[in-house]
Amino acid sequence: MQAAAEKKVLLKVDHLKQYFPVKTDSLFKPKAYVKAVDDISFHLYEGETLSIVGESGCGKSTTGRAILRLDEPTGGKVFFSGQNILDLNKKEMRKLRGDLQVIFQDPFASLNPRQTIKQILNEAMAIQNVVEKPNRMSRMLELLGYVGLPAEALDRYPHEFSGGQRQRIGIARALAVNPKLIICDEAVSALDVSIQAQILNLLKKLQHQFQLTFLFISHDLSVVRHISDRVMVMYLGKVVEIADKKALFDSPLHPYTQALLSSIPVPNPTLKRERIMLKGDVPSPINPPSGCRFHTRCPFATEKCKAEEPALREMGEKHFVSCHYAEKFR
Amino acid sequence: MIEKNKPILEVKGLKTHFSTKRGVSKAVDGIDFTLHKGETLGIVGESGCGKSMTSLSILRLIPSPPGKIAGGQILFKGKDLVTLSENEMREIRGNEISMIFQEPMTSLNPVIPVGEQIAEALRLHQKLGRKAAWDKAVEMLKLVGIPSPEKRAKQEPFQLSGGMRQRVMIAMALACTPEVLIADEPTTALDVTIQAQILELIKDLQSKLGMGVIMITHDLGVVAETCDTVAVMYAGNIIEHAPTDKIFEHPKHPYTQGLLDSLPKIHEDQEELRTIEGSVPSPYHFPAGCRFASRCPFQQPICHEKQPELLEQKDGVKVRCWMYTDQWTGPVGKKEAVK
Amino acid sequence: MMMMFIIRRLMQTIPVVVGVTFVVFFIMQLVPGDPAVLLAGEGASKETIQAIREQLGLNRPLFVQYFDYLMNVFRGDFGVSLKNSQPVLDEILVRLPITMELAFFSIIFTIILGMTAGIISAIKPYSLTDSTVMIIALLGISLPSFWFGLMMMYFFSVKLQILPVAGWDSILHIILPALTLGAGGAAIVARMTRSSMLEVIRQDYIRTARAKGLRERVIIYKHALRNALIPVITVVGLQFGALLGGTVLVESIFAINGLGRMIVDAIRMRDLPMVQGGVLVASLVFVIVNLFVDVLYRFFNKRIELN
Amino acid sequence: STKSNSGNETNGKKEEAKQGGTLTVVRLSDATKLDPHFITDIPSANIIYQKVYQGLVVPDKDFKIQPLLAKEWKIVNDTTWEFKLRDDVTFHDGTPFNAEAVKVTFDRLLDPKTQSPQREKFAMIKEVKIVDDYTVQLLLEYPYAPLLSILASQEGSIISPKAIKENPENLAKLPVGTGPFVFEDWKSGQEISLKKNDKYWGKKPNIDRVVFKVVPEDTTRLAMIETGEAHINDQVPVTEIERIEASNTMGLYRTEGLAVEFLGFNVKKKPFDDVRVRKAISHAIEREAIIKGVYNNVGTLANVAMSPKVFGYSDKVKPYSYDLNEAKQLLKEAGYEKGLEITLLTSDRKERVNMAEVIQSQLKGIGVNVKIQVMEYGAFIEMLNNGEHQMVINGWGNATGDGDYNQYNLFHSSSQGPAGNHFYYSNPNVDKLIDEARKETDESKRLKLYEEVMQKEMDDAVYIPIRNYEHLAAYNKNVSGFWLNAANYLMIDDVVIK
Amino acid sequence: MSLEAKTEQSAIITQTISHPKESKFKDGLSILLMNKAAMVGAIIILFYILIAIFAPLLAPYDPYDIKLENKLLPPSADHLMGTDDKGRDILSRILYGSRLSMGIGITAVIFGAFFGIIFGLIAGYYGKWIDSTIMRIMDILLAFPGILLALAIISALGPGLMNVTIAVGVYSIPLFARIVRGSTLEVKRLEYIDAIRSLGANDGTIIFKHILPNILSPIIVQGTLRLATVILSAAGLSFLGLGAQPPSPEWGTMLSNGRDFLFSAPYIAIFPGLAISILVLGFNIFGDGLRDAFDPRMKK
Ligand SMILES: Nc1ncnc2c1ncn2[C@@H]1O[C@H](COP(=O)(O)OP(=O)(O)OP(=O)(O)O)[C@@H](O)[C@H]1O
Ligand SMILES: Nc1ncnc2c1ncn2[C@@H]1O[C@H](COP(=O)(O)OP(=O)(O)OP(=O)(O)O)[C@@H](O)[C@H]1O
Ligand SMILES: [Mg+2]
Ligand SMILES: [Mg+2]
């Protein structure tokens, strides 16, 4: 789905910051923070899928949680349908939650083991009061139909289902309240490839059916490529590149994106690629490197990268990169 | 460079069963493969198909009870490991056959400096003195690319990052220059960029040391990049065993075909992914026939009656499927149709 | 770094200790019984009692009394006993070492016996030895300590006459009380050691050690035990706290002049400054022991984050 | 055997023995303070009384008053008593004992600034007048017959005037008297030791030292006696008598005491404001069963709230007979024929709790349902002082051995509450008689007065007398020569350790 | 052993958190049935419960009936466990006493668990200053030498069954609070809690409907082990003379009464002592078994 210019912005994240205080040993030193998300901005169009990729700990989940206000962000604004949801009080927020849903990674941990599927779905509808009581049963059956589960599933407990089935239940729960935006945090990472495929297909199908908008968080680039319209790459709490899927996969501009893409093992033994090997480990987000946060591992880093933090610049049609030398990599 | 065709490890009809209160779980149920010197054998398959149990069986490290090697042979340089005494087995572990585990976080002893964890194996197997073993350990750390290894050797695992810990595991496994290295999902817990480093390292060391490697993973990408041959496991069996390129080009078994099709292709756009319907049979009650039969798009009555053998085809590929036998009565044309 | 941790933890104990004094103070106000009456003794008139009360400063408003007390404590002045007008601190300084000595020997006993039994059990789990040791341990936990103590006294001191009955003069005097006090703890430590060992033996790194070809003995003592001890340390620490509570009974039975008995006597005499001082010191000891345990814990398990 | 000092030491020099050695006495609780003017508890008093401190006079085994520091005395008139003092006595600190010492001691006691809780006992003394170095006169406010008995009590101890002048505070932990033992050391909560006074004016004790050890647990104390770790235990539970008697290392010492135990009614509280109910209960208690069943026949059946050893005792006053029919009848008259719920308060002393249980079971017979309320001593006293109880098991120590201390405190209406009248009894006739008896100097008249007042109290059924105390001590058979006086003080002047 | 044996609570925390991978409870139950030790424990407890229920039918004599002429009779055919110092039948008293002793234990544990659970849930769920405040208060309770706390409480409230129960119950509060808080922290992190939060559920629903049911297993395990300790503690308090009011046949009181006859008529103390030990043993074994049953790792 190529986004037309008049596409409506559903979610706009503006200078979002999420710092977590960490305990220090010193009494006197100032408090240290994990700058899990450090001043990022992006937006989502209605009906599209934006993916966030990046290595473990770069702040993907934190971004999702901040948008959902599962953790209170440290700073910034999150506009949903034009309204800054960070300004809402607890009650208003609870009401709005029907529009924002989430599907988590762990199909085992994301369902209360002591509730039947019926109770799970019923509760979701009851909390948001989206369906009148008498109609709930038929709605539940409808939901099960969407996610491809049989009606008998209703009276069973989560542990009686396989991982893939549980993930479907999670999806049904999210759908139960008629959301506009669904955040999928590693929604398929824990699943075996064959089941992963089923869930990916399902998500795509439902997106079409209900005009859903997805914020899709994953570190699996092949999955991301399959499902997204646009992709955002994060590194240590910062956005390093954001672009249409095609642009990003075909002509990544940030050295980190390039390295990331080249690191993915491809299930094709005939395809021998030139790999960009990164040296070292991801630095700690407590003391992120100065300047460009990637400079410690970047094969092209210069003194400038060490000293100066690059801005997110538009380098092509909706293709934003934060690298001083992005032009060079075109 | 290395003479590749000398078999060092032959697994024949290996069965590892778990007797639990719920019954007997046939985690590994009669698998055969041969590993040659310098070769990398990949074992792939979905979660729970018995990959780890296969590797643990080779070192006789399955948790026992409830696990038990219920049959078969593991021939290492002609000796059957299954029949060795515990003492003889200890001589082999960490010395001639080593193992790298999946979880670098939990597989290192949290309270012992990593250098010591490497050195103790050296002292044991190579009869090195304290100092010599330590120096060798530091050298190993250097070999696996850990910066300032002297310092790191004295640290405990929690002071190292995940990637470094996995390197330590590798250094530990390779310290006594084993002939066989078993890597059980060595990179699953790591980030892609780190994974790339580690895989590169293993490949590199293999070519230097010439050992046979068993690479266990469920990531077909990893297999494609590192392995010479691949064994695909399904429900305790090997269902296909072939050179890597053959598997990826012409997967024979319907399961292998399904598996490859479910992967999103990074270089092409698809609206929908293929999937394999149904689910894996419980290891407590395997069906009488082919274990994949109920999910197989080509299933025939015979598939439900009797289990097919793992048979070598003309092109050298071994596959466990009735389709490739003369008992097959279904449409032959469909064999490749899925592709 | 460890220093900082200790200092911070010590600072955290201040509110706890102040809270303890506060609770003691107000509980003691609720306790019926007037120290002045108890001091005045049989047949004293109301006037006498009033005079005593005045002399002790018990007529002042409660908050004034409490606040004064607190201020004095911060100055290191624990007040004087209502009973005999002696400085509370002097009394505590006599009693505390005795109780600590008792607790120390008990905990040593607890550790040695408990860990040995636990390891023996864990090496061959589900064997006859294991079951026997564990049944004894369970019995140890289930016996009322005062009963156990008296029985041992009867057997070893009265019947066999190999140990003294009571008092606190020689090493021989220490054995029975320490045994009585430590028995339950030893049983708990034994069980903890066992389960912790069994737990550790299931860990991945033990598998790694096996994969290296190490001997079982090395695996148990070098790889497993060190890790298994970490939770045991916590239990020992908690056990130490429990011991402090248990000293009251043991000190009574064996006529040991310790802190626990001092506090109980003081409660009976409604000797508030003494109760305050005693409980304050006892809780301080508890807190410090737990701090010490935390430090040890951190030492053994550096992966544990602060807090 | 254990390495207790007494065991080895004495066994070693068995033959010559008779001299020296350390006597170990085990006791329930520690002393609180050792200043006679401030002591209010027996454990404290027991340590110094007749050991460190001595008074002008002393009661003998029959509780008859005998001379001690005073050689003789005479009653000059109703309110003037004159004492001739010994001239060969010195205090432990070297100060000579004389009239000055007596005056300083009593002046301190009587000075309100001293705030002695014992002051009131001596409130009748107006002045101590020094006649000459070895003669003093006590001038009284009003005639007070039992004066000698209070002088003989531990409160009447004569303290070194030097110690009083120099550092009176210190007396609480460092007693300085004239007695046969000199204070040595006090390990708070653990033990107090005294050593032989080599300069003692009278017959010097046999033993070198005496140690009072605190051993709170009954069983432990006895075990220590049994093994020889200690010599004397003067707080023995009655339940252990058989065991002591059966043992071949232990002996049992028994002696009559001054104290009595009784069941008291709170006459201000319903239903005991009705004398019929009190009488009904009195008829329903089978007292003999208690003496035998609970007390193992330790002590004797009391007929009044005064023991036979106390001056003023009369055996003519008879308690109510055990008569259940009468009891039921009385209850019916009082309107409680359908039964009655009452609470019985007792302190947590074991024998008393046992007694409460027996009383509970006895009263069940007349349809009285008793709820037992066991209180720890402090709370117990508080309840009594606030008059919150209905019925209580209590006792009275009678430390002076004189009827006044008994009757005035227990029954005089001005003693209601803390002073001892926990019956909250108030009878003007009784008050009058007690006041009279207090001033009467003629002994036989006093006796009559007490008999009369006790009969009145009995008629009002204020209490049910239960038991005259008997004091018990267990001793290891290698000691002899100690005795307990009737006020339960341990006397060790003649102790010999084998 | 000591009065306040804070039994292995750290172990409980780490071992029995509900990892809601499967329905812990059902699996736990079935493993429990297979765990022989736990069965033994359960049978012992059941036995005691039956005794408590049927005490009036089983007891050969009136447990309160004082017959001084029968005092201190050794065990015989008439009195299987002998008589006490007031001639009461010890067996009958023990049978009746089971109601009291178990009553104290169970009530105290429920009392402690109730407050402990509430404090623990609130502290664990809300975190931040609420957590630190509550947990500091719990620390204060815990830092009090347990028996002294009980002593003070009983002195304040007066002795008696109810107050003993409260006293030992109060001391259980911080232990439960700690465990509940720990488990809450763990469960709170689970994704289904986030999921239910993002559905807009309020805190009450989340805490009581979604967190509490999933932390029950460590609570139950702690509860049974705590029961054992509480019964012993109550006996210890009785030993100090702070227990049940006479003539109630509470075992601790009987035991402490019997210590006067420890050497002359030991059966007076031995039988109640045994009654306590065996019951405590039962709870300990049962608690252990439960812990194993709920331990997710035992199910692999
Ligand atoms: N509640 C928290 N308190 C403190 N630090 C946190 C918290 N949540 C996340 N962090 C830290 O913030 C950083 C970003 O975490 P986040 O979970 O967003 O990473 P991620 O990109 O989702 O990683 P992964 O791929 O492993 O899920 C990490 O360093 C993490 O340790
Ligand atoms: N302790 C055990 N008791 C019973 N069955 C067991 C036990 N351990 C393993 N199994 C069985 O062995 C089978 C194979 O397990 P294995 O760990 O080898 O799978 P795997 O292929 O390595 O999976 P993964 O990719 O998840 O690591 C599982 O299906 C499981 O049922
Ligand atoms: Mg994440
Ligand atoms: Mg595996």
Side-chain angles (χ1 to χ4, degrees), chain A residues 55-56 192-194 197-198 201 204 208 225-226 260 265-269 273 275 277-278 280-281 297, chain B residues 46-47 161 191-193 195-197 221-222 224-225 248 259 263-264 266 270-276:
Chain A
E55 281 175 285
S56 182
D192 276 338
V193 272
S194 60
Q198 295 171 4
N201 287 343
K204 271 206 162 178
H208 290 307
R225 184 185 155 98
H226 174 76
L260 199 63
V266 183
N268 185 349
R273 295 165 305 151
R275 178 162 283 169
M277 271 296 173
L278 292 180
D281 296 314
R297 301 174 76 204
Chain B
E46 285 179 42
S47 184
S161 72
D191 283 331
V192 267
T193 56
Q195 165 172 321
Q197 294 171 10
V222 171
E225 297 204 349
F248 284 93
L259 200 61
L263 294 174
I266 196 133
Q270 320 144 269
E271 193 44 32
E272 205 178 333
L273 300 167
R274 299 261 173 123
T275 60
I276 309 173

Coordinates of all heavy atoms in Angstrom, one line a residue, chain A residues 55-56 192-194 197-198 201 204 208 225-226 260 265-269 273 275 277-278 280-281 297, chain B residues 46-47 161 191-193 195-197 221-222 224-225 248 259 263-264 266 270-276:
Chain A
E55 N 18.3 -4.0 17.5 CA 18.8 -5.1 18.3 C 18.2 -5.0 19.7 O 17.6 -4.0 20.1 CB 20.3 -5.0 18.4 CG 20.9 -5.6 17.1 CD 22.4 -5.5 17.1 OE1 22.9 -4.4 16.9 OE2 23.1 -6.6 17.3
S56 N 18.4 -6.1 20.4 CA 17.8 -6.2 21.7 C 18.2 -5.0 22.6 O 19.4 -4.6 22.6 CB 18.4 -7.5 22.3 OG 17.8 -7.7 23.6
D192 N 7.3 -21.1 16.1 CA 8.0 -21.9 15.1 C 7.6 -21.3 13.7 O 6.5 -20.8 13.5 CB 7.6 -23.3 15.1 CG 8.4 -24.1 16.2 OD1 9.5 -23.6 16.5 OD2 8.0 -25.1 16.6
V193 N 8.6 -21.5 12.7 CA 8.3 -20.8 11.5 C 7.0 -21.2 10.8 O 6.3 -20.3 10.3 CB 9.5 -21.2 10.4 CG1 10.6 -20.2 10.5 CG2 9.9 -22.6 10.6
S194 N 6.6 -22.4 10.9 CA 5.3 -22.7 10.2 C 4.1 -22.1 10.9 O 3.2 -21.6 10.2 CB 5.2 -24.3 10.2 OG 5.1 -24.8 11.5
A197 N 4.1 -18.3 10.2 CA 3.5 -18.0 8.9 C 2.0 -17.9 9.0 O 1.4 -16.9 8.5 CB 3.9 -19.1 7.9
Q198 N 1.4 -18.8 9.7 CA 0.0 -18.7 9.9 C -0.4 -17.4 10.5 O -1.4 -16.7 10.1 CB -0.5 -19.8 10.8 CG -0.3 -21.2 10.3 CD -0.6 -22.3 11.3 OE1 -1.1 -22.0 12.4 NE2 -0.4 -23.5 11.0
N201 N 0.0 -14.4 8.3 CA -1.1 -14.3 7.3 C -2.4 -13.8 7.9 O -3.1 -13.0 7.3 CB -1.4 -15.7 6.8 CG -0.3 -16.2 5.8 OD1 0.5 -15.4 5.3 ND2 -0.3 -17.5 5.5
K204 N -2.3 -10.0 8.5 CA -2.5 -9.3 7.2 C -4.0 -9.3 6.8 O -4.5 -8.3 6.4 CB -1.7 -9.9 6.1 CG -0.3 -9.3 6.0 CD 0.3 -9.5 4.6 CE 1.4 -8.5 4.4 NZ 2.1 -8.6 3.1
H208 N -6.6 -5.9 6.5 CA -7.5 -5.6 5.4 C -8.9 -5.5 5.8 O -9.6 -4.6 5.5 CB -7.3 -6.6 4.2 CG -6.0 -6.5 3.6 ND1 -5.5 -5.3 3.1 CD2 -5.1 -7.5 3.3 CE1 -4.3 -5.5 2.6 NE2 -4.0 -6.8 2.7
R225 N 10.0 -7.4 6.7 CA 9.9 -7.1 5.3 C 8.6 -7.6 4.7 O 8.0 -7.0 3.9 CB 11.1 -7.7 4.6 CG 11.1 -7.3 3.1 CD 12.2 -8.0 2.3 NE 11.7 -8.1 0.9 CZ 12.1 -7.2 0.0 NH1 13.0 -6.3 0.3 NH2 11.7 -7.3 -1.2
H226 N 8.2 -8.7 5.2 CA 7.0 -9.3 4.7 C 5.8 -8.5 5.1 O 4.9 -8.3 4.3 CB 6.8 -10.7 5.3 CG 5.5 -11.4 5.0 ND1 5.3 -11.9 3.7 CD2 4.4 -11.6 5.7 CE1 4.1 -12.4 3.7 NE2 3.5 -12.2 4.9
L260 N 23.0 -4.4 9.7 CA 21.9 -5.3 10.2 C 21.3 -6.2 9.1 O 21.1 -7.4 9.2 CB 20.8 -4.3 10.7 CG 19.7 -4.9 11.7 CD1 20.4 -5.4 12.9 CD2 18.7 -3.9 12.0
P265 N 21.0 -14.2 8.4 CA 21.3 -15.4 7.7 C 20.2 -15.6 6.7 O 19.0 -15.6 7.1 CB 21.4 -16.5 8.7 CG 21.1 -15.8 10.0 CD 20.6 -14.4 9.8
V266 N 20.5 -15.9 5.5 CA 19.5 -16.1 4.5 C 19.4 -17.5 4.1 O 20.4 -18.2 3.9 CB 19.8 -15.3 3.2 CG1 18.7 -15.4 2.2 CG2 20.0 -13.8 3.5
P267 N 18.2 -18.1 4.1 CA 18.0 -19.5 3.9 C 18.2 -19.8 2.4 O 17.3 -20.2 1.7 CB 16.6 -19.8 4.4 CG 15.9 -18.5 4.4 CD 16.9 -17.5 4.5
N268 N 19.3 -19.5 1.9 CA 19.6 -19.7 0.5 C 21.1 -19.9 0.4 O 21.8 -18.9 0.3 CB 19.1 -18.6 -0.3 CG 19.3 -18.9 -1.8 OD1 20.0 -19.9 -2.2 ND2 18.7 -18.1 -2.7
P269 N 21.6 -21.1 0.3 CA 23.0 -21.3 0.3 C 23.7 -20.8 -0.9 O 24.9 -20.6 -0.9 CB 23.1 -22.9 0.5 CG 21.8 -23.4 0.0 CD 20.8 -22.4 0.3
R273 N 26.9 -13.5 0.2 CA 26.8 -12.1 0.2 C 28.1 -11.5 0.9 O 28.7 -12.2 1.7 CB 25.6 -11.6 0.9 CG 24.3 -11.9 0.3 CD 23.2 -11.7 1.2 NE 23.4 -12.4 2.5 CZ 23.0 -12.0 3.6 NH1 22.3 -10.9 3.7 NH2 23.2 -12.7 4.7
R275 N 29.3 -9.5 3.7 CA 28.7 -9.2 5.0 C 29.5 -8.0 5.6 O 30.7 -8.0 5.6 CB 28.8 -10.4 5.8 CG 28.2 -10.2 7.2 CD 27.9 -11.5 7.9 NE 26.7 -12.1 7.4 CZ 26.3 -13.3 7.6 NH1 27.1 -14.1 8.3 NH2 25.1 -13.8 7.1
M277 N 30.6 -6.8 8.8 CA 30.8 -7.3 10.2 C 30.9 -6.1 11.1 O 31.8 -5.3 11.0 CB 32.0 -8.2 10.3 CG 31.8 -9.6 10.0 SD 30.7 -10.3 11.2 CE 30.4 -11.9 10.5
L278 N 30.1 -6.1 12.2 CA 30.3 -5.1 13.2 C 31.2 -5.6 14.2 O 31.2 -6.8 14.6 CB 28.9 -4.7 13.8 CG 28.0 -4.0 12.9 CD1 26.7 -3.7 13.6 CD2 28.6 -2.7 12.3
G280 N 32.5 -5.6 18.2 CA 32.1 -5.2 19.5 C 30.6 -5.4 19.8 O 29.9 -5.9 19.0
D281 N 30.3 -5.0 21.0 CA 28.9 -5.2 21.5 C 28.2 -3.9 21.5 O 28.8 -2.8 21.4 CB 28.9 -5.8 22.9 CG 29.6 -7.1 22.9 OD1 29.2 -8.0 22.1 OD2 30.4 -7.4 23.8
R297 N 30.8 1.4 16.9 CA 30.9 0.1 16.1 C 30.9 0.4 14.6 O 30.9 -0.6 13.8 CB 29.6 -0.7 16.4 CG 29.6 -1.1 17.9 CD 28.3 -1.8 18.2 NE 28.3 -3.2 17.8 CZ 27.2 -3.9 17.6 NH1 26.0 -3.3 17.7 NH2 27.3 -5.2 17.2
Chain B
E46 N 11.6 -28.1 14.0 CA 10.9 -27.2 14.9 C 11.1 -27.6 16.4 O 11.6 -28.7 16.7 CB 9.3 -27.3 14.6 CG 9.1 -26.5 13.3 CD 7.6 -26.6 13.0 OE1 6.8 -26.4 13.9 OE2 7.3 -26.7 11.8
S47 N 10.7 -26.7 17.2 CA 10.9 -26.9 18.6 C 10.4 -28.2 19.1 O 9.3 -28.6 18.7 CB 10.2 -25.7 19.3 OG 10.4 -25.8 20.7
S161 N 29.3 -9.4 28.4 CA 28.1 -9.3 27.6 C 27.7 -10.7 27.1 O 28.5 -11.6 27.1 CB 28.2 -8.3 26.5 OG 29.1 -8.9 25.5
D191 N 21.8 -11.3 19.5 CA 21.3 -10.3 18.4 C 21.9 -10.7 17.1 O 23.0 -11.3 17.0 CB 21.8 -8.9 18.8 CG 21.0 -8.3 19.8 OD1 19.8 -8.7 19.9 OD2 21.5 -7.5 20.6
V192 N 21.2 -10.3 16.0 CA 21.7 -10.7 14.7 C 23.1 -10.3 14.4 O 23.9 -11.1 13.8 CB 20.8 -10.1 13.5 CG1 19.8 -11.1 13.2 CG2 20.2 -8.8 13.8
T193 N 23.5 -9.1 14.8 CA 24.9 -8.7 14.4 C 25.9 -9.5 15.2 O 26.9 -9.8 14.7 CB 25.1 -7.2 14.7 OG1 24.8 -6.9 16.0 CG2 24.2 -6.3 13.8
Q195 N 25.2 -12.5 16.3 CA 25.1 -13.9 15.8 C 26.0 -14.0 14.6 O 26.7 -15.0 14.5 CB 23.6 -14.1 15.4 CG 23.4 -15.3 14.5 CD 22.0 -15.6 14.2 OE1 21.2 -15.5 15.1 NE2 21.6 -16.0 13.0
A196 N 26.0 -13.0 13.8 CA 26.9 -13.1 12.6 C 28.3 -13.2 13.0 O 29.1 -14.0 12.5 CB 26.7 -11.8 11.7
Q197 N 28.7 -12.5 14.0 CA 30.1 -12.6 14.5 C 30.4 -14.0 15.0 O 31.5 -14.6 14.7 CB 30.4 -11.6 15.7 CG 30.3 -10.2 15.4 CD 30.3 -9.3 16.7 OE1 30.6 -9.8 17.8 NE2 30.0 -8.0 16.5
G221 N 18.2 -20.1 7.9 CA 19.2 -19.2 7.4 C 20.6 -19.5 7.9 O 21.5 -19.6 7.2
V222 N 20.6 -19.8 9.2 CA 21.9 -20.2 9.8 C 22.5 -21.5 9.1 O 23.6 -21.5 8.8 CB 21.8 -20.4 11.3 CG1 23.0 -21.0 11.9 CG2 21.4 -19.2 12.0
A224 N 21.8 -22.6 6.1 CA 22.2 -22.3 4.7 C 23.6 -21.7 4.7 O 24.3 -21.9 3.8 CB 21.2 -21.3 4.1
E225 N 23.9 -20.9 5.7 CA 25.2 -20.2 5.7 C 26.3 -21.0 6.2 O 27.5 -20.7 5.9 CB 25.0 -18.9 6.4 CG 24.0 -17.9 5.8 CD 24.3 -16.5 6.1 OE1 25.1 -16.2 7.0 OE2 23.6 -15.7 5.5
F248 N 17.9 -27.0 0.0 CA 17.3 -25.7 -0.3 C 16.7 -25.6 -1.7 O 15.7 -24.9 -1.9 CB 18.2 -24.5 0.1 CG 18.3 -24.3 1.5 CD1 19.3 -24.9 2.3 CD2 17.4 -23.5 2.2 CE1 19.4 -24.7 3.6 CE2 17.5 -23.3 3.6 CZ 18.5 -23.9 4.3
L259 N 8.2 -26.3 5.4 CA 9.0 -25.5 6.2 C 9.7 -24.3 5.4 O 9.6 -23.1 5.8 CB 10.1 -26.3 6.8 CG 10.8 -25.8 8.1 CD1 9.8 -25.7 9.2 CD2 11.9 -26.8 8.5
L263 N 8.8 -19.7 5.3 CA 9.7 -18.6 5.6 C 9.3 -17.4 4.8 O 9.2 -17.5 3.6 CB 11.1 -19.0 5.3 CG 11.7 -20.1 6.2 CD1 13.1 -20.4 5.6 CD2 11.8 -19.6 7.6
P264 N 9.2 -16.2 5.4 CA 9.1 -15.0 4.5 C 10.4 -14.9 3.7 O 11.4 -15.0 4.3 CB 8.9 -13.9 5.5 CG 8.6 -14.6 6.9 CD 9.3 -15.9 6.8
I266 N 13.2 -12.9 2.1 CA 13.6 -11.5 2.3 C 13.7 -10.8 1.0 O 13.6 -9.5 0.9 CB 14.9 -11.5 3.1 CG1 15.1 -10.0 3.6 CG2 16.1 -11.9 2.3 CD1 15.5 -10.0 5.1
Q270 N 5.6 -11.3 -1.0 CA 4.5 -12.2 -1.2 C 3.4 -11.6 -0.4 O 3.6 -11.1 0.7 CB 4.8 -13.6 -0.6 CG 6.2 -14.1 -0.9 CD 6.7 -14.9 0.3 OE1 7.3 -14.3 1.2 NE2 6.5 -16.2 0.3
E271 N 2.2 -11.8 -0.9 CA 1.1 -11.3 -0.1 C 0.8 -12.3 1.1 O 0.6 -11.9 2.2 CB -0.2 -11.1 -0.9 CG -1.3 -10.4 -0.3 CD -0.9 -9.1 0.4 OE1 0.2 -8.4 0.0 OE2 -1.5 -8.8 1.4
E272 N 0.9 -13.6 0.8 CA 0.6 -14.6 1.8 C 1.7 -15.6 1.9 O 2.3 -16.0 0.9 CB -0.7 -15.3 1.4 CG -1.5 -15.8 2.6 CD -2.8 -16.5 2.2 OE1 -3.4 -16.1 1.2 OE2 -3.2 -17.4 2.9
L273 N 1.9 -16.1 3.1 CA 2.9 -17.2 3.3 C 2.2 -18.5 3.2 O 1.1 -18.7 3.7 CB 3.6 -17.0 4.6 CG 4.3 -15.7 4.8 CD1 4.7 -15.5 6.2 CD2 5.5 -15.6 3.9
R274 N 2.9 -19.5 2.8 CA 2.4 -20.8 2.9 C 2.5 -21.3 4.3 O 3.4 -20.9 5.0 CB 3.2 -21.8 2.0 CG 3.2 -21.4 0.6 CD 2.2 -22.3 -0.2 NE 2.2 -21.7 -1.5 CZ 2.4 -22.4 -2.6 NH1 2.7 -23.7 -2.5 NH2 2.4 -21.9 -3.8
T275 N 1.6 -22.2 4.7 CA 1.7 -22.7 6.0 C 1.5 -24.2 6.0 O 1.1 -24.7 5.0 CB 0.6 -22.1 6.9 OG1 -0.7 -22.4 6.4 CG2 0.7 -20.6 7.0
I276 N 1.9 -24.8 7.2 CA 1.6 -26.2 7.3 C 0.5 -26.3 8.3 O 0.6 -25.9 9.5 CB 2.8 -27.0 7.8 CG1 4.1 -26.6 7.0 CG2 2.6 -28.5 7.8 CD1 5.4 -27.2 7.6

